[in-house]
Amino acid sequence: MHSRAIIDQAQGVLVVQFRCTPEDASPHLVELSQHSNRKLRNPAADVVASAVRG
């Protein structure tokens, strides 16, 4: 459940940054995950952390 919350938060961050819909933000997260060869929750947590740091 925690992973889903992080992914949803990351989608929200990408929606604001890219001015897109949540449906358009999902492929960005998947691409980050695939290129880094990590589970989706890890790059999602990175996106959220970078937004918090500003």
Side-chain angles (χ1 to χ4, degrees), residues 2-49:
H2 183 271
S3 295
R4 185 73 235 169
I6 292 293
I7 292 167
D8 288 342
Q9 288 175 6
Q11 283 180 332
V13 169
L14 293 178
V15 164
V16 171
Q17 286 180 344
F18 293 124
R19 295 187 177 140
C20 63
T21 65
E23 293 79 21
D24 293 335
S26 293
H28 290 290
L29 281 176
V30 171
E31 186 176 338
L32 284 171
S33 173
Q34 289 175 341
H35 285 292
S36 63
N37 198 28
R38 301 187 309 164
K39 293 190 181 277
L40 186 60
R41 67 179 175 256
N42 296 324
D46 294 343
V47 167
V48 172

